[in-house]
């Protein structure tokens, strides 16, 4: 896709960081399950943690297309680092930027955007994943405080986050109308992180439970109005699907890049691999589908930047990019043969990391429902 020089220069800046600092760390982060604290600090220094947020609130003052490019390039080098960037920026930062009062933005958004604090978003529960209307975590207003009880699960950066936006309901029987969004800070009495998940992929990313046990938070920690939770998390997920699409795209590009390097360096029966038609066919297919995914992701980001409806396009981008991402990483392993199954090469990691893209921020099946409803009507 043809972009102007401003975007190309920004891409080169992120690509240089990803190649020099992220890629060399990717293998060890995966093998040891280490969180990349050093890379988080560097991304803060490079103003990558809130690319689309105005400078007045600590961000880089760019746009959502730039943000998608940043996630794509970081994800190309390391899925674990890419998912942190996507989750912090889309799930931690965006709800406050979208629905926060000026006081809330000054108190929480600015340190998140600057990278002084880590953000997270608590929506999924043990019995409420794709159907968020089934939220069981409760928020009861007692005097000037909300008392929270419940458990969130599979929360990216949950155990390490300083500021968490989460959803809770005043009555589970009310469905969506009863759900509100709240803010809780790490260290609040009654709030703790529970089990950390031992995952197939994205092993350098922290995924954990969040537990609320008679946790009292000030009334001022309500984000938006009571009953606004559905509006807040739907807006958050719409934008988040762009970033997950960008991450899926980046991982797929990483698999293609690794495959191109491999076939240029290796031979079969004395013949360079890149001269085999079967190899050429797979490379061509991967490259074409990755470029198509890039167009969908960038289109959704540009629509959002223009304040135009983008729900359908974001769902398409996330669905297609994650789908072809799994296909591309599978082809990459096939191209590498048995070596592709070893940790000597990165393609097996790319496949493991890519799988979450079909599940997180709404499964592929949910994306199809969103797309169909936008086309056919509810």
């Amino acid at each position: 896709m043809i972009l102007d020089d401003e975007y190309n220069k920004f891409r080169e800046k992120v690509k240089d960081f990803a190649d020099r600092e992220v890629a060399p760390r990717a293998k060890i982060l995966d093998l040891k399950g280490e969180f990349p604290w050093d890379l988080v600090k560097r991304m803060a220094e490079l103003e990558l943690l809130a690319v689309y947020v105005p400078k007045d609130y600590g961000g880089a003052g760019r746009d959502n297309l730039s943000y998608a490019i940043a996630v794509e390039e970081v994800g190309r080098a390391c899925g674990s680092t890419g998912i942190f960037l996507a989750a912090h920026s889309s799930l931690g930062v965006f709800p406050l930027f979208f629905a926060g009062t000026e006081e809330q933005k000054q108190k929480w958004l600015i340190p998140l955007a600057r990278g002084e604090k880590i953000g997270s978003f608590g929506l999924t529960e043990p019995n409420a994943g794709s159907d968020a209307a089934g939220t069981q975590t409760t928020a009861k207003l007692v005097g000037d405080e909300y008392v929270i009880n419940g458990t969130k699960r599979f929360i990216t950066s949950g155990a390490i986050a300083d500021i968490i936006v989460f959803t809770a309901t005043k009555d589970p029987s009310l469905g969506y109308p009863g759900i509100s969004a709240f803010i809780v800070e790490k260290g609040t009495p009654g709030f703790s992180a529970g089990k950390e998940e031992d995952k197939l992929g994205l092993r350098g990313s922290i995924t954990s439970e969040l537990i609320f046990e008679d946790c009292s938070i000030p009334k001022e920690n309500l984000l938006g109005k009571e009953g606004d939770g559905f509006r807040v998390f739907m807006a958050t997920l719409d934008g988040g699907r762009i970033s997950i699409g960008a991450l899926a795209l980046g991982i797929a590009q990483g698999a293609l890049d690794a495959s191109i390097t491999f076939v240029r360096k290796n031979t079969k029966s004395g013949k360079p691999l890149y001269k085999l038609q079967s190899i050429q066919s797979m490379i061509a297919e991967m490259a074409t589908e990755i470029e198509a995914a890039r167009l969908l992701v960038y289109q959704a980001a540009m629509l959002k930047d223009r304040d135009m409806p983008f729900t359908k396009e974001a769902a398409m981008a996330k669905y297609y990019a994650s789908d072809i991402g799994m296909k591309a990483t599978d082809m990459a392993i096939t191209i590498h043969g048995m070596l592709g199954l070893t940790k000597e090469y990165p393609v097996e990691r790319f496949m493991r990391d890519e799988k979450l893209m079909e599940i997180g921020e709404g499964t592929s099946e949910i994306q199809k429902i969103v797309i169909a409803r936008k086309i056919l009507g509810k």
Side-chain angles (χ1 to χ4, degrees):
M1 184 176 184
I2 299 174
L3 299 175
D4 63 31
D5 287 344
E6 180 186 355
Y7 291 107
N8 290 330
K9 288 178 182 177
F10 179 74
R11 181 191 295 279
E12 285 304 312
K13 168 188 168 181
V14 183
K15 184 176 185 299
D16 182 68
F17 161 68
D19 288 341
R20 289 175 179 270
E21 301 182 51
V22 180
R25 299 271 284 112
K27 182 176 181 179
I28 199 69
L29 293 177
D30 175 69
L31 289 174
K32 294 188 175 182
E34 290 182 354
F35 183 75
W37 290 104
D38 56 329
L39 297 178
V40 172
K41 181 179 179 181
R42 284 290 293 131
M43 287 191 286
E45 293 170 352
L46 294 169
E47 295 186 310
L48 297 182
L49 297 184
V51 172
Y52 61 87
V53 173
K55 288 183 176 293
D56 288 348
Y57 291 115
R62 296 188 62 89
D63 57 13
N64 288 283
L65 177 55
S66 300
Y67 169 50
I69 290 170
V71 173
E72 176 189 354
E73 288 298 330
V74 173
R76 179 182 56 82
C78 175
S80 292
T81 307
I83 194 66
F84 167 79
L85 174 59
H88 175 85
S89 301
S90 289
L91 303 182
V93 169
F94 179 78
L96 283 158
F97 179 59
F98 171 71
T101 64
E102 184 60 29
E103 291 76 16
Q104 289 172 336
K105 289 177 180 178
Q106 292 294 326
K107 183 176 181 179
W108 291 305
L109 176 59
I110 290 176
L112 286 173
R114 290 175 176 167
E116 297 164 357
K117 303 284 186 181
I118 289 176
S120 185
F121 184 70
L123 176 63
T124 302
E125 298 184 2
N127 296 305
S130 296
D131 181 16
T135 295
Q136 300 295 304
T137 298
T138 58
K140 304 294 185 183
L141 184 60
V142 180
D144 290 331
E145 294 184 323
Y146 286 97
V147 179
I148 315 297
N149 282 283
T151 300
K152 300 292 182 177
R153 195 174 185 194
F154 303 129
I155 307 306
T156 303
S157 300
I160 60 171
D162 302 289
I163 300 164
I164 301 99
V165 175
F166 68 96
T167 54
T169 180
K170 65 180 180 180
D171 184 345
S173 68
L174 294 176
Y176 289 125
I179 299 174
S180 301
F182 301 89
I183 305 153
V184 66
E185 295 185 72
K186 186 176 184 178
T188 301
F191 171 65
S192 62
K195 173 188 175 184
E196 288 190 21
E197 303 295 341
D198 185 7
K199 307 187 300 295
L200 170 74
L202 302 170
R203 294 181 57 79
S205 167
I206 304 295
T207 306
S208 59
E209 288 182 319
L210 299 178
I211 300 170
F212 298 88
E213 298 174 301
D214 290 330
C215 173
S216 294
I217 59 175
K219 189 165 59 175
E220 293 75 19
N221 286 35
L222 175 68
L223 187 60
K225 300 176 182 177
E226 280 200 8
D228 265 3
F230 178 73
R231 180 179 72 93
V232 171
F233 76 66
M234 284 307 297
T236 300
L237 292 178
D238 275 349
R241 286 165 183 162
I242 297 174
S243 65
I244 294 300
L247 181 55
L249 168 64
I251 295 171
Q253 185 67 54
L256 174 59
D257 293 347
S259 298
I260 292 170
T261 299
F262 183 81
V263 301
R264 282 176 170 167
K265 289 183 176 179
N266 291 277
T267 62
K268 181 178 181 180
S269 302
K271 187 175 183 179
L273 285 177
Y274 69 85
K275 290 190 175 181
L276 299 177
Q277 285 190 345
S278 59
I279 296 293
Q280 293 174 358
S281 176
M282 285 188 282
I283 294 292
E285 192 170 347
M286 291 165 70
T288 301
E289 292 181 337
I290 288 169
E291 189 61 22
R294 182 171 288 113
L295 292 172
L296 282 171
V297 171
Y298 287 12
Q299 173 187 239
M302 287 188 285
L303 287 172
K304 186 177 183 185
D305 283 330
R306 295 173 185 177
D307 293 323
M308 297 173 69
F310 67 95
T311 296
K312 171 171 65 73
E313 289 76 12
M316 285 179 167
K318 196 267 187 188
Y319 162 61
Y320 186 72
S322 62
D323 185 60
I324 68 96
M326 283 304 300
K327 182 178 177 181
T329 54
D330 179 67
M331 281 188 173
I333 290 177
T334 299
I335 288 170
H336 284 68
M338 281 299 296
L339 291 173
L341 298 177
T342 72
K343 296 190 183 299
E344 181 180 352
Y345 291 88
V347 288
E348 61 85 29
R349 169 169 54 84
F350 288 139
M351 174 178 271
R352 289 186 288 107
D353 288 349
E354 190 74 81
K355 185 60 187 177
L356 177 76
M357 308 308 132
E358 294 186 317
I359 300 171
E361 305 233 11
T363 63
S364 292
E365 290 72 24
I366 291 296
Q367 304 314 311
K368 292 178 190 177
I369 292 172
V370 172
I371 294 164
R373 284 178 175 174
K374 286 296 180 180
I375 294 171
L376 302 173
K378 294 184 180 181

